[in-house]
Amino acid sequence: MSILIDENTRLVTAGITGSEGKFHTLRNRDYGTNVVAGVTPGKGGQEVEGIPVFNTYAEAVEKQGANTAMVFVPPPFAADSILEAEDAGIELIIAITEGIPAHDELRAYATIKKNGRSRLIGPNCPGILSPGKANVGIIPAAFFKPGNVGVVSRSGTLTYQIGNVLAQEGFGNSSIVGIGGDPVPGTDFVDAVKLFQEDPQTELIVLSGEIGGDAEEKAAEYIAEHVTKPVVAYIAGFSAPPGKTMGHAGAIVSGSSGGAEGKAAALEAKGVKVGKTPTQVAELAIQLLGAAA
Amino acid sequence: MSILIDENTRLVTAGITGSEGKFHTLRNRDYGTNVVAGVTPGKGGQEVEGIPVFNTYAEAVEKQGANTAMVFVPPPFAADSILEAEDAGIELIIAITEGIPAHDELRAYATIKKNGRSRLIGPNCPGILSPGKANVGIIPAAFFKPGNVGVVSRSGTLTYQIGNVLAQEGFGNSSIVGIGGDPVPGTDFVDAVKLFQEDPQTELIVLSGEIGGDAEEKAAEYIAEHVTKPVVAYIAGFSAPPGKTMGHAGAIVSGSSGGAEGKAAALEAKGVKVGKTPTQVAELAIQLLGAAA
Amino acid sequence: MDLLEYQGKQLFARHGVPVPSGKPARTVEEAVAAAEEIGYPVAVKAQVQIGGRGKLGGIKLANNAEEAREHAGAILGMDIRGLTVYELWIEGASQIESEYYASVVFDRSNKAPLVMLSTKGGMDIEAVAEEDPDAIAHLHVDPLLGFQDFHGRELAFNAGVAPDVVRPIGALLKQLYNVFVDEEATLVEVNPVIVTPERGVRALDAKVTLDNNSFFRHKDNAELRDLSAEDPQERMAKERGLTYVKLDGNIGILGNGAGLVMSTLDVVKLAGGDAANFLDAGGGSKAEAITSAVEVILANPNVTAVLFNIFGGITRCDEVARGLITAFDQIKPSVPFVVRLDGTNDEEGRKLLAEAKLPNVYTEATMDGAAAKVVELAGQSKTSA
Amino acid sequence: MDLLEYQGKQLFARHGVPVPSGKPARTVEEAVAAAEEIGYPVAVKAQVQIGGRGKLGGIKLANNAEEAREHAGAILGMDIRGLTVYELWIEGASQIESEYYASVVFDRSNKAPLVMLSTKGGMDIEAVAEEDPDAIAHLHVDPLLGFQDFHGRELAFNAGVAPDVVRPIGALLKQLYNVFVDEEATLVEVNPVIVTPERGVRALDAKVTLDNNSFFRHKDNAELRDLSAEDPQERMAKERGLTYVKLDGNIGILGNGAGLVMSTLDVVKLAGGDAANFLDAGGGSKAEAITSAVEVILANPNVTAVLFNIFGGITRCDEVARGLITAFDQIKPSVPFVVRLDGTNDEEGRKLLAEAKLPNVYTEATMDGAAAKVVELAGQSKTSA
């Protein structure tokens, strides 16, 4: 088992005819992901290395049974693409695009929530990897192998970093989920932790957070009440000076809340071990799963 | 039993300090309806004949446990009042106001549907009467007594007319529901017929429609599939010339659909008896319920 | 309210919908001046709300001032299916490569706006809908989310518009949707939308129905008028806030509530009569409204008898009685009235009427009885007249 | 992007939010001319983004031209908590009866806009939130429905504003919400909103944060600048599309992805060093972006060593290596570089670096190792410098 993507994933890429979209879609396919279609308005009927391209998601669903979308279109058009995927009934929408206007994200998120038929991952995220089964997004899969550690992270590169350290210590992964660092993530820590709790393959959950917002604090509450599996957390930004914005819209330290120390304290209060560096996270994982690894 | 309103109704009237709102609220109370509050922004703290007035619905819910709202405010402010009632968690919102802009109604309806916590009756409707239990709205209750006939109608005065003819023939009513003639009724024939089907007191359902739209045709489909109780229908507008708008936004005959003959045929095809006049409706009711009446 | 073509196009222009340049004109001189300003060739278009104006001689092309004068003179004052042409729209002639159909309507059935697009434009869309329903692409829009770019693409691809105009057609649909929402229309229809030789798109016609209930916040729209469609009695009723529709018969009808009035029309028809009008005095009618309504009904010279059918809910029967008494006092009608009062305060109402002893006024207890009586009286009046 | 007070007020005015009349000024002459035009008394206000400007001498009242000249001269060029005053806002002085607080923020936690209103305005709202949380009325707005009139009433009644200003305060909140949505802000804050002796309401301050990601459709907003807040390196980075924040240490940092860069800062700190900057080269960085980033990092004279920490996903390590090689070719840096490359195309990247034999460049296999190495090198450079 794994979460969100696996052998049953039928992927459609929006923006497949762009250079990045094409590069990563083919990489995903090389990994073994079942890529069934691409969508580029006006390029319907073309092919990208054997993958049929359609004008609309509706056609990709109708003709190819696509159930998962990867959105690679530029920021001004990305929310529209997400909404189109939702309208076409795509169950899982993974939005890689960075730089989508916050109000666009808000409307897309609110619509997805209202209709209740799709799940959104991202935007501004690296995607999902279920090692040995499927890879959707830009996670460099070569570093990861199947195993029992589920990873969920707000930051893309940190996801790789932590996964890599774990891999060097001999751990494999059930799934690695990058939820993205934007103000309105379609799926947050609580959602992902819930899925890992329910996934029989996952025996340890690693949660990689960062300064800003209160998603880590909410996850701590949820873990205390609903999660029986061990959880290890990492919070980036201990050394960040207050009041500075550092890239992710999320990474804003505002007053007393949202700081790394506060997040770490909230998690530790609920029994979650928190590492100060990616390396420490791996050490904690060994402590908790030593026998199992 | 009855539907929608009864002894458990706790009514709040929006617009209670206006002359019509006050007149009908007091009339409803005289009938036995449990009127617990009024809402008029800026007049919180006042009383209307012993009924406490609040600035917001939220206060009326919190302090008086209001669960049903009657909206009597002028058209420019009515949709806002409906949305406020929904936001405050009022379960049943009965909007009497006529002349609300269609786009306002659309947004209010869409929001109510999205949140799924309230039911809207109307707008532009006469309200609901459950004889012997409660009266909310402007239906002249003196003509009706408790009984086994459920009435649902798009037109206010036609409701009274048909109810009156039935009463003269000795029939009483479980509930009489005016759903209103506006383009976006919060509750339509199908919803009301479903409630009457589930209501043990109701043994016969009278459906009073009119030209325009396809609500009667949809009801015919629903009745054929889900309703075991006898249904008698009336359609107003047999003699209306095509292409003329007659008052209700609903009453527009557009091309081949929406005409009275077509509606009557759709209902009769599904086994519903259709009367040509209110008097014929009563005659059909006698045929069907003769023994029971 | 249904707008004239030019009124719709002026709304369109304010929302960025591409329309040919044009000017309205009410006289031949204005028409020629407009044509000169726009440059030839121009289309001289009768402003009446009749489908197929062109075939009925209401649209003509002018290549010079002489032709513009001639056509404007011929069309102004012309009668097109019962409507008199009071206004013209002079517009630059368009070159047409393709004709599409586009509309946004209020779909009561789905309680959502419905957007439609077809490449079979420039013809009777209802016939297309019947013969080749797949030729029309449909899409419901979530009113809370609004029209998105993908809606435009989906409609354009599904309708099969030329690939090079998918984007401009999508943009046009979005603009039409904006007109629909921002102007609070219940219908926005363009037939045809044209594609020009330069591959631009343009709305060549405009059919817009505005929601009268929204006029309190659209003062400009409330001022729009269609002189050709205004019957004098209907205008009179409108000014008095009454819902009045003129019909062909001789029995004046007044009731409260659209459903009851429609039912009254039906019952009168079944009794062998023909209604002269539909008049809904509305909910909560006060005495003055009733008096006013009587004036409107009697302003129609065909009326030989009047039926009042009132079942009071929010309307109080005593108010109706008072209004009728005042009307008799002021107007002294020469035709008989049949009055049926039921509902709120009906006893007081009937008592007031009995005390007033109005001449030639008959009260009836039931709707069927009242209909029979008024048909009888109307026949007698007609014979005696 | 955070706007200056006057930029926010000019946005407000465009959306109908009542603000005092005012004009910006960059010289004493402009300031006096503005004051003359507006009429005395005027407030001369330093345009820097520092709370409590007034107490720090950044706001002064002028009753005549002489005072206006004197205050403008004193405030222009003044240093307020490290920011230099380049611009003034001259505005008509307001008479104040009450001071409220109003804001619309993007609430990430609830994924909805949050509107707040308090009668405790004109003071530090964070202190109010801590000491008397009930003094602030809160309300989340459904982003699909938008701000409704009842939201305004509910906030006004709950906050306990004076009964006679419930309506204008509600209207003001709606206008602020419109600014929030139409201008794509993530924060709109007014402290204080004042009630005048004539019982009007007005926004006396304006704090607006715009979403930089929306600038492609808000060309005017994209042009706004705050000269006082612009560090030369930060401006340089911005022009090159890099996310750069200047910090106090001496170790230049470049990474890809905000999370990884933050983590790098933490690891450097734990290793005993201090970062000179935060620099996220972003996803998919191409060679030119890397070269550009090196220029920005080295433009800070405090930098004595540089750490590259790359874990490639969308970023390809070979591109990073190429960018670094080009940078060395062009800039010939004098400080040591520690480079850690992992992820997509890492082998090619490392191979390119090895072949280029760049002087004073050390490669490390792990993040911890790289941090230790750069701290060591930075210390040596500092000593040797």
Side-chain angles (χ1 to χ4, degrees):
Chain A
M1 289 279 284
S2 53
I3 68 168
L4 298 167
I5 63 165
D6 55 26
E7 307 85 348
N8 301 315
T9 296
R10 295 180 66 81
L11 185 67
V12 52
T13 299
I16 195 170
T17 52
S19 66
E20 293 293 331
K22 179 177 169 184
F23 176 81
H24 291 284
T25 300
L26 296 178
R27 234 159 143 250
N28 288 170
R29 186 171 69 171
D30 289 346
Y31 187 76
T33 311
N34 187 10
V35 181
V36 300
V39 169
T40 301
K43 299 202 175 167
Q46 298 184 10
E47 284 199 351
V48 170
E49 307 267 335
I51 302 165
V53 178
F54 299 97
N55 286 323
T56 65
Y57 283 98
E59 277 184 282
V61 170
E62 189 196 336
K63 297 187 180 147
Q64 293 291 100
N67 60 15
T68 302
M70 174 160 69
V71 177
F72 246 112
V73 302
F77 317 111
D80 186 63
S81 185
I82 292 168
L83 285 166
E84 184 186 347
E86 193 274 343
D87 189 68
I90 301 269
E91 293 156 36
L92 179 64
I93 304 164
I94 300 167
I96 311 298
T97 308
E98 182 180 349
I100 303 178
H103 284 264
D104 279 7
E105 290 185 10
L106 195 60
R107 280 185 311 122
Y109 175 81
T111 301
I112 286 169
K113 191 178 160 201
K114 171 167 88 80
N115 296 339
R117 57 193 170 199
S118 303
R119 174 191 289 280
L120 174 67
I121 306 282
N124 187 14
C125 85
I128 307 171
L129 169 64
S130 293
K133 291 167 188 153
N135 187 17
V136 176
I138 63 175
I139 298 176
F143 295 91
F144 307 98
K145 57 173 188 174
N148 58 357
V149 178
V151 178
V152 54
S153 174
R154 270 166 74 177
S155 154
T157 44
L158 254 184
T159 314
Y160 323 150
Q161 175 65 35
I162 290 170
N164 193 31
V165 176
L166 287 169
Q168 285 166 356
E169 300 294 339
F171 291 99
N173 301 102
S174 51
S175 295
I176 296 167
V177 181
I179 58 171
D182 270 7
V184 191
T187 293
D188 58 23
F189 282 130
V190 169
D191 304 320
V193 165
K194 181 171 187 290
L195 292 171
F196 279 129
Q197 168 68 20
E198 290 163 2
D199 172 42
Q201 183 184 330
T202 303
E203 294 178 21
L204 172 76
I205 303 168
V206 173
L207 184 156
S208 166
E210 61 187 33
I211 51 174
D214 65 354
E216 292 79 5
E217 288 85 342
K218 285 195 162 178
E221 294 290 334
Y222 183 84
I223 289 165
E225 279 173 43
H226 300 99
V227 177
T228 56
K229 298 178 181 179
V231 182
V232 175
Y234 173 71
I235 307 290
F238 279 92
S239 63
K244 295 266 190 178
T245 302
M246 297 196 173
H248 281 185
I252 298 167
V253 187
S254 53
S256 56
S257 78
E261 299 290 352
K263 288 176 183 296
L267 286 158
E268 282 174 338
K270 301 294 179 183
V272 177
K273 305 266 182 194
V274 180
K276 282 235 158 194
T277 67
T279 311
Q280 281 184 18
V281 169
E283 288 164 7
L284 290 167
I286 293 169
Q287 278 176 32
L288 288 164
L289 272 194
Chain B
M1 290 277 287
S2 54
I3 69 168
L4 298 167
I5 62 165
D6 55 26
E7 306 84 350
N8 301 313
T9 296
R10 296 179 67 81
L11 185 68
V12 51
T13 299
I16 195 171
T17 52
S19 66
E20 292 293 331
K22 179 177 169 185
F23 176 82
H24 290 285
T25 300
L26 296 178
R27 235 160 142 249
N28 289 170
R29 187 173 69 172
D30 289 346
Y31 187 75
T33 311
N34 186 9
V35 180
V36 300
V39 169
T40 301
K43 299 201 174 167
Q46 298 186 8
E47 284 198 352
V48 170
E49 308 266 335
I51 303 164
V53 178
F54 299 97
N55 285 323
T56 65
Y57 282 99
E59 278 184 282
V61 169
E62 190 197 336
K63 296 188 181 145
Q64 294 291 102
N67 61 14
T68 301
M70 174 161 69
V71 177
F72 245 113
V73 303
F77 317 110
D80 186 62
S81 185
I82 292 168
L83 285 166
E84 183 186 348
E86 193 274 343
D87 189 68
I90 300 270
E91 292 158 36
L92 179 64
I93 305 164
I94 301 167
I96 311 296
T97 309
E98 182 180 350
I100 303 178
H103 285 264
D104 279 6
E105 290 186 10
L106 195 59
R107 281 184 312 120
Y109 175 82
T111 301
I112 287 170
K113 192 178 159 201
K114 171 167 89 80
N115 295 339
R117 58 192 169 200
S118 302
R119 175 191 290 280
L120 174 66
I121 306 280
N124 187 13
C125 84
I128 306 171
L129 169 64
S130 292
K133 291 167 189 154
N135 187 17
V136 176
I138 63 175
I139 297 177
F143 294 91
F144 308 99
K145 57 173 188 172
N148 58 356
V149 178
V151 178
V152 53
S153 174
R154 271 167 74 178
S155 155
T157 42
L158 254 184
T159 313
Y160 322 151
Q161 175 64 38
I162 290 170
N164 193 34
V165 175
L166 288 168
Q168 285 166 354
E169 299 295 339
F171 291 99
N173 301 101
S174 50
S175 294
I176 296 167
V177 181
I179 58 172
D182 270 8
V184 191
T187 293
D188 58 23
F189 282 130
V190 169
D191 304 321
V193 165
K194 181 170 187 290
L195 293 171
F196 279 129
Q197 168 69 20
E198 290 163 1
D199 171 43
Q201 183 183 329
T202 302
E203 294 179 20
L204 173 75
I205 303 168
V206 173
L207 183 156
S208 165
E210 61 188 32
I211 51 176
D214 66 354
E216 292 79 6
E217 289 84 343
K218 285 194 161 178
E221 294 290 334
Y222 184 84
I223 289 165
E225 279 174 44
H226 299 99
V227 177
T228 56
K229 298 178 181 178
V231 181
V232 175
Y234 173 72
I235 308 292
F238 278 92
S239 63
K244 294 266 189 178
T245 302
M246 297 199 174
H248 281 183
I252 298 166
V253 187
S254 54
S256 55
S257 77
E261 298 290 352
K263 289 177 183 297
L267 286 158
E268 281 174 340
K270 300 294 180 184
V272 177
K273 305 265 181 195
V274 181
K276 282 236 159 193
T277 65
T279 311
Q280 282 184 17
V281 169
E283 289 163 7
L284 289 168
I286 293 169
Q287 279 175 30
L288 288 165
L289 272 194
Chain C
M1 185 182 57
D2 298 324
L3 300 190
L4 289 166
E5 174 198 6
Y6 85 91
Q7 294 165 336
K9 282 185 173 168
Q10 290 179 335
L11 272 193
F12 282 5
R14 286 213 291 280
H15 290 270
V17 181
V19 288
S21 57
K23 293 197 84 169
R26 291 196 183 181
T27 64
V28 172
E29 265 52 50
E30 280 178 21
V32 174
E36 292 286 322
E37 191 184 323
I38 293 160
Y40 300 96
V42 296
V44 179
K45 305 173 87 173
Q47 296 300 291
V48 285
Q49 297 181 40
I50 294 287
R53 276 173 301 173
K55 283 177 202 147
L56 299 167
I59 302 177
K60 292 206 183 293
L61 215 63
N63 290 300
N64 49 52
E66 198 179 328
E67 286 180 21
R69 180 175 307 276
E70 183 187 325
H71 296 327
I75 297 174
L76 272 173
M78 185 178 171
D79 179 292
I80 304 185
R81 291 221 178 120
L83 297 185
T84 306
V85 180
Y86 294 106
E87 294 181 278
L88 300 172
W89 175 242
I90 314 297
E91 111 184 339
S94 293
Q95 282 193 283
I96 299 174
E97 284 218 341
S98 314
E99 292 184 294
Y100 299 157
Y101 167 91
S103 65
V104 187
V105 301
F106 207 94
D107 183 1
R108 300 153 48 105
S109 173
N110 278 272
K111 295 171 182 175
L114 171 66
V115 186
M116 289 188 273
L117 179 69
S118 175
T119 54
K120 299 211 165 182
M123 55 186 98
D124 177 3
I125 197 67
E126 286 178 32
V128 174
E130 212 157 290
E131 288 157 26
D132 186 10
D134 290 346
I136 305 174
H138 293 73
L139 192 143
H140 284 100
V141 177
D142 174 348
L144 294 177
L145 180 62
F147 193 92
Q148 304 297 305
D149 289 340
F150 81 83
H151 290 135
R153 290 196 302 273
E154 201 155 301
L155 282 163
F157 286 122
N158 287 349
V161 308
D164 66 329
V165 294
V166 164
R167 256 165 225 277
I169 286 288
L172 177 92
L173 292 174
K174 192 170 193 171
Q175 289 157 337
L176 293 178
Y177 188 86
N178 289 345
V179 171
F180 181 77
V181 171
D182 295 348
E183 302 293 342
E184 303 201 46
T186 54
L187 167 72
V188 173
E189 189 178 50
V190 182
N191 192 9
V193 172
I194 61 159
V195 181
T196 66
E198 299 78 29
R199 310 306 290 166
V201 302
R202 251 184 229 174
L204 207 59
D205 199 358
K207 196 169 171 186
V208 176
T209 304
L210 298 175
D211 178 7
N212 297 27
N213 287 341
S214 76
F215 285 167
F216 67 88
R217 58 190 167 206
H218 295 281
K219 304 293 181 204
D220 289 355
N221 291 348
E223 301 295 317
L224 297 171
R225 285 280 172 278
D226 175 5
L227 297 174
S228 67
E230 285 193 358
D231 171 271
Q233 274 106 60
E234 291 188 358
R235 195 184 319 159
M236 187 177 173
K238 201 173 182 180
E239 284 161 6
R240 295 164 185 218
L242 302 166
T243 306
Y244 174 94
V245 182
K246 197 170 179 178
L247 301 171
D248 296 331
N250 61 323
I251 299 174
I253 306 277
L254 179 145
N256 63 319
L260 183 63
V261 181
M262 269 191 286
S263 180
T264 308
L265 262 54
D266 293 348
V267 173
V268 165
K269 183 90 177 178
L270 287 170
D274 280 305
N277 66 271
F278 170 105
L279 195 157
D280 175 11
S285 314
K286 293 277 186 277
E288 310 87 76
I290 299 295
T291 308
S292 210
V294 171
E295 285 175 2
V296 171
I297 291 170
L298 296 180
N300 177 353
N302 299 336
V303 170
T304 59
V306 177
L307 171 58
F308 262 48
N309 188 16
I310 301 292
F311 203 110
I314 199 164
T315 303
R316 305 187 208 167
C317 292
D318 54 332
E319 288 281 346
V320 174
R322 267 187 215 102
L324 186 59
I325 292 165
T326 309
F328 265 74
D329 193 40
Q330 291 174 0
I331 312 169
K332 309 202 192 314
S334 58
V335 300
F337 276 59
V338 178
V339 180
R340 182 254 183 166
L341 291 180
D342 249 332
T344 308
N345 298 358
D346 52 356
E347 282 175 31
E348 295 93 310
R350 284 195 290 260
K351 191 160 160 249
L352 283 170
L353 277 190
E355 285 166 359
K357 295 198 175 64
L358 302 179
N360 224 355
V361 171
Y362 306 82
T363 55
E364 285 284 336
T366 68
M367 183 163 157
D368 291 0
K373 182 74 183 172
V374 80
V375 171
E376 179 200 327
L377 291 168
Q380 288 171 1
S381 293
K382 208 164 17 181
T383 320
S384 69
Chain D
M1 186 180 59
D2 298 324
L3 300 190
L4 290 165
E5 174 199 4
Y6 85 90
Q7 294 165 336
K9 281 185 174 166
Q10 289 179 336
L11 273 192
F12 282 5
R14 286 215 291 279
H15 290 270
V17 180
V19 288
S21 57
K23 293 196 84 170
R26 292 195 183 184
T27 63
V28 172
E29 265 53 50
E30 280 177 22
V32 175
E36 292 286 323
E37 192 184 322
I38 292 161
Y40 300 96
V42 297
V44 179
K45 305 174 87 173
Q47 297 300 292
V48 287
Q49 297 181 39
I50 294 286
R53 276 172 303 172
K55 285 176 201 148
L56 300 166
I59 302 178
K60 292 204 184 294
L61 214 64
N63 289 301
N64 51 49
E66 199 180 327
E67 286 179 20
R69 180 175 306 276
E70 184 187 325
H71 296 328
I75 297 175
L76 271 173
M78 184 180 174
D79 180 290
I80 303 185
R81 291 215 178 126
L83 298 184
T84 306
V85 180
Y86 293 106
E87 294 181 278
L88 300 172
W89 176 242
I90 313 298
E91 112 185 338
S94 292
Q95 283 193 285
I96 300 174
E97 284 217 341
S98 316
E99 292 184 292
Y100 299 157
Y101 168 90
S103 65
V104 187
V105 301
F106 207 94
D107 183 2
R108 299 152 50 102
S109 173
N110 278 272
K111 296 172 181 174
L114 171 66
V115 186
M116 289 187 274
L117 178 68
S118 175
T119 53
K120 300 209 163 181
M123 56 185 99
D124 178 3
I125 196 69
E126 287 179 32
V128 174
E130 213 157 291
E131 287 156 27
D132 185 9
D134 289 345
I136 306 174
H138 293 72
L139 192 144
H140 284 100
V141 177
D142 173 348
L144 294 178
L145 180 62
F147 193 92
Q148 304 298 306
D149 289 341
F150 82 84
H151 290 134
R153 290 196 301 273
E154 201 154 302
L155 282 163
F157 285 121
N158 288 348
V161 308
D164 66 328
V165 294
V166 164
R167 256 165 225 277
I169 286 289
L172 177 92
L173 292 174
K174 191 170 194 173
Q175 289 157 337
L176 293 178
Y177 188 87
N178 289 344
V179 171
F180 181 79
V181 172
D182 295 348
E183 302 293 342
E184 304 200 46
T186 54
L187 168 72
V188 173
E189 189 178 47
V190 182
N191 191 10
V193 171
I194 60 160
V195 181
T196 65
E198 298 78 30
R199 311 305 290 167
V201 301
R202 250 185 229 173
L204 207 58
D205 198 358
K207 196 170 171 186
V208 176
T209 305
L210 298 175
D211 177 7
N212 296 28
N213 287 340
S214 76
F215 286 168
F216 67 87
R217 56 189 168 208
H218 295 281
K219 304 294 181 204
D220 289 356
N221 291 348
E223 302 293 318
L224 297 171
R225 286 280 171 277
D226 175 5
L227 297 174
S228 68
E230 286 194 358
D231 172 89
Q233 274 107 58
E234 291 188 359
R235 193 182 321 160
M236 187 176 171
K238 200 175 184 178
E239 283 162 5
R240 295 164 187 219
L242 302 165
T243 306
Y244 174 94
V245 181
K246 198 171 180 177
L247 301 171
D248 295 331
N250 61 322
I251 300 175
I253 306 277
L254 178 146
N256 61 318
L260 183 63
V261 181
M262 268 191 286
S263 180
T264 308
L265 262 55
D266 292 348
V267 173
V268 165
K269 183 89 176 180
L270 287 171
D274 280 305
N277 65 273
F278 170 104
L279 193 156
D280 175 11
S285 313
K286 293 279 187 277
E288 311 86 76
I290 298 296
T291 308
S292 209
V294 172
E295 286 175 2
V296 171
I297 291 170
L298 296 180
N300 176 354
N302 299 336
V303 170
T304 60
V306 176
L307 171 57
F308 262 48
N309 188 16
I310 302 292
F311 204 112
I314 200 165
T315 303
R316 305 185 208 168
C317 293
D318 54 332
E319 289 281 346
V320 175
R322 267 186 216 104
L324 186 58
I325 292 164
T326 309
F328 265 74
D329 194 41
Q330 290 174 1
I331 312 170
K332 307 201 193 314
S334 59
V335 301
F337 276 60
V338 177
V339 180
R340 182 257 185 162
L341 292 179
D342 250 332
T344 309
N345 298 359
D346 53 355
E347 282 177 29
E348 295 93 308
R350 284 195 289 260
K351 193 163 160 245
L352 284 170
L353 277 189
E355 285 167 358
K357 295 198 174 64
L358 301 179
N360 224 356
V361 170
Y362 305 82
T363 55
E364 284 286 337
T366 68
M367 183 164 156
D368 291 0
K373 183 74 183 173
V374 80
V375 170
E376 180 199 324
L377 292 167
Q380 288 171 1
S381 296
K382 206 161 20 177
T383 320
S384 68

